[in-house]
Amino acid sequence: MSHSRAYVYQLFDAQDGGRGLERVFDGVILGLVLLNGAAVVLGSVKSLSTAYRPFFVGLEIVSVYAFTIEYGLRVWSSVEDRRFRDPVRGRLRFMCTPMALIDLLAILPFYLSLAGVDLRILRLLRLFRLLKVARYVRALDVIGQVVRRKRPELLVTTGLIGLLLVLVSSLMYYVESAAQPDKFGSIPETMWWGVATLTTVGYGDVYPITVAGKVLSSVIAVLGLGLFALPTGILAAGFSEQLAQQHRSAETLPYCPHCGHKL
């Protein structure tokens, strides 16, 4: 039993890139995930939803069965990970991990609908299946590593952006509220204009009409250009560092004496 469980755990382990049957399994699950995402999108078109209803229903049933078996096997084999060694509490801890919760949300809408729960939100929850892609695309793991590495810098930048948003919204409220009480009626209402201006989106539904307001808006738009470039620079530096580290790690891997390939 332990050998079978270890094999199943290895089959689900996407960290090593996979070989043989592991690659086939990853490809099948990834294909089902992408098909489900396309089905959710195309199913919102009434003509397609009616014409291809048997296909959509069949895909849903096959996917739910496949994802349910996958989820059950992941929970069963999770004790092979030393973090979840305890047969009961370890599996419960595994079921509370983010990716395990995503796996659960991927199948939960189907079973809730069988129980008679008919909510529009259940259809939306099917989109959680797209998040399963994170298990099988290693590039997404690199993104996660970069975000974790640069988390302090990103948190500081996010806090600075939030502080600036409150500041500029407060200033614009006091400048424009008398002239446009319907659009700048309070600081929270003015924050919608602040977000559109700092991000340089400029929807045009709310804009200043006073001279002071226009001058202030121009200054804030220029500040927004520089401020929102900070997270981009931080992430770019993080990607460069992460890729350089992976390259150095790959160069230090030993070579197989028989085939000459890196182990």
Side-chain angles (χ1 to χ4, degrees), residues 30 34 75 112 123 129 155 172 181 205 207:
L30 184 58
L34 297 178
V75 173
L112 289 178
R123 301 174 186 176
R129 294 173 186 174
L155 287 175
M172 186 58 69
D205 55 338
Y207 53 89

Side-chain angles (χ1 to χ4, degrees), residues 18-157:
R19 299 180 302 275
L21 185 59
E22 298 173 35
R23 288 183 178 271
V24 174
F25 172 80
D26 290 352
V28 170
I29 297 297
L30 184 58
L32 283 176
V33 169
L34 297 178
L35 280 174
N36 273 266
V40 172
V41 174
L42 297 177
S44 63
V45 182
K46 291 184 178 180
S47 59
L48 294 177
S49 178
T50 302
Y52 296 97
R53 179 175 176 78
F55 170 77
F56 289 137
V57 173
L59 177 63
E60 174 72 5
I61 294 174
V62 171
S63 300
V64 167
Y65 285 158
F67 294 153
T68 301
I69 293 173
E70 179 203 9
Y71 178 70
L73 290 176
R74 284 189 183 277
V75 173
W76 175 63
S77 63
S78 62
V79 293
E80 294 297 320
D81 190 325
R82 57 185 178 184
R83 296 173 299 172
F84 312 112
R85 284 295 187 188
D86 188 88
V88 178
R89 288 180 295 179
R91 287 189 172 102
L92 289 175
R93 285 200 303 271
F94 172 78
M95 292 169 66
C96 293
T97 59
M99 290 307 302
L101 290 174
I102 289 173
D103 290 337
L104 179 60
L105 288 174
I107 60 177
L108 192 61
F110 177 81
Y111 293 111
L112 289 178
S113 64
L114 290 181
V117 180
D118 187 18
L119 296 176
R120 189 180 184 88
I121 189 65
L122 294 183
R123 301 174 186 176
L124 182 62
L125 285 176
R126 291 172 59 194
L127 287 173
F128 273 95
R129 294 173 186 174
L130 289 175
L131 298 179
K132 291 169 66 68
V133 171
R135 287 189 185 275
Y136 306 103
V137 179
R138 300 189 70 184
L140 295 178
D141 185 53
V142 174
I143 295 175
Q145 292 175 5
V146 170
V147 171
R148 286 192 295 270
R149 171 178 287 185
K150 294 297 181 179
R151 182 168 52 189
E153 294 92 333
L154 291 173
L155 287 175
V156 170
T157 305

Side-chain angles (χ1 to χ4, degrees), residues 228-250:
F228 275 85
L230 286 176
T232 304
I234 292 172
L235 290 175
F239 274 111
S240 178
E241 294 171 5
Q242 184 67 29
L243 293 177
Q245 179 179 339
Q246 290 184 352
H247 182 68
R248 289 194 299 269
S249 299

